Amino acid sequence: MNHRVGLITGAGSGIGRACALALAAAGWQVVCAGRRMERLQATLDLAAPEVAKRMLACEVDVTDETSVEALFAFVQARCGRLDLLFNNAGVFTQGVSLEDLSLAAWQAAVDTNLTGAFLCTRAAFRQMKTQQPQGGRIINNGSISAQTPRPGSVAYTATKHAMTGLTKTAALDGRAWNIAVGQIDIGNAASEITTAMSAGIRQADGTLQSEPVMDVQHAANAVLHMANLPPEANVLFMTVMATKMPFVGRG
């Protein structure tokens, strides 16, 4: 437990960046993965020098099988094992009514949010199953939209509902190999993505309303709590959200 290795996708901004910094500050060796090396390097630059020593950056396109395989080979070569995967990489689609959503936008969401999480989970299973000590933990970023949709969000919501199915099945299949799988559904954590929520976002009744947000550090602390659990314990589902955000019934 003195050499725990965590891999975070989408670590170049927002929730992924905050989680990478929190894990590294808590003593984890952290591999920060994402599409753009300059964003990943910016994450590392935010860490104190003694913390940054425990952080590595690796470019990956989670929609590409070969790129994902190269990422996990990098983790194995540089770190020797993998104790945690945080499937955080994801994209939003433009907020439009279902009939106006293009197939290309739908496919982009499916490729990143769902297929990307599957490819990383599959690679993590293969590594965690064969390493010694065997096993590890996978945390999926499900989002509030894994439970309740926003208007005009069919692609994002469908992929996040599917993430719940991936989480449940992986948790079941992982038992035999000491792999714990859980999901965190995060609502309105302050980041570049949630800027529009403060400015005003469409509600179920058709109005535009500014929504409360919370410090992204609360989401990072929740992920850190899940990651630090002993192997015999697992948070299967957790919701952490801005207290006053519209959620239950989206109202």
Side-chain angles (χ1 to χ4, degrees), residues 5-145:
V5 178
L7 167 61
I8 298 177
T9 64
S13 63
I15 292 169
R17 172 177 286 174
C19 290
L21 293 169
L23 283 165
W28 286 73
Q29 184 172 359
V30 179
V31 178
C32 301
R35 290 178 297 170
R36 290 173 289 183
M37 182 58 74
E38 66 272 15
R39 298 298 299 269
L40 299 174
Q41 187 58 52
T43 296
L44 270 61
D45 290 344
L46 288 172
E50 64 274 13
V51 174
K53 293 177 181 178
R54 294 192 290 272
M55 303 176 75
L56 298 168
C58 184
E59 284 189 82
V60 68
D61 177 357
V62 296
T63 71
D64 181 80
E65 184 177 26
T66 301
S67 182
V68 170
E69 290 174 352
L71 168 64
F72 280 80
F74 174 88
V75 173
Q76 178 63 31
R78 296 295 299 271
C79 305
R81 63 176 291 110
L82 178 65
D83 298 287
L84 172 71
L85 165 66
F86 181 33
N87 273 320
N88 171 70
V91 296
F92 285 98
T93 50
Q94 183 181 5
V96 298
S97 295
L98 189 152
E99 71 274 14
D100 295 323
L101 184 72
S102 69
L103 177 59
W106 167 271
Q107 195 64 62
V110 171
D111 288 348
T112 301
N113 299 353
L114 183 57
T115 302
F118 160 72
L119 289 173
C120 290
T121 298
R122 185 181 68 176
F125 259 60
R126 290 171 175 171
Q127 188 160 337
M128 292 174 175
K129 178 179 176 180
T130 57
Q131 66 189 8
Q132 294 298 328
Q134 185 188 69
R137 189 179 305 276
I138 298 170
I139 302 172
N140 293 324
N141 187 344
S143 168
I144 288 290
S145 290

Side-chain angles (χ1 to χ4, degrees), residues 174-249:
R175 291 178 186 173
W177 314 110
N178 300 311
I179 301 171
V181 184
Q183 179 171 311
I184 183 164
D185 294 336
I186 300 169
N188 288 16
S191 67
E192 298 169 2
I193 295 174
T194 59
T195 302
M197 295 176 184
S198 298
I201 192 165
R202 188 154 60 101
Q203 305 296 307
D205 62 3
T207 62
L208 290 177
Q209 294 185 27
S210 174
E211 292 190 7
V213 297
M214 65 177 181
D215 192 317
V216 71
Q217 190 61 43
H218 299 309
N221 291 342
V223 170
L224 181 61
H225 168 72
M226 295 171 73
N228 279 337
L229 286 172
E232 66 269 19
N234 184 40
V235 173
L236 183 61
F237 291 101
M238 176 190 288
T239 300
V240 58
M241 53 183 271
T243 302
K244 295 184 179 181
M245 70 168 286
F247 172 51
V248 181

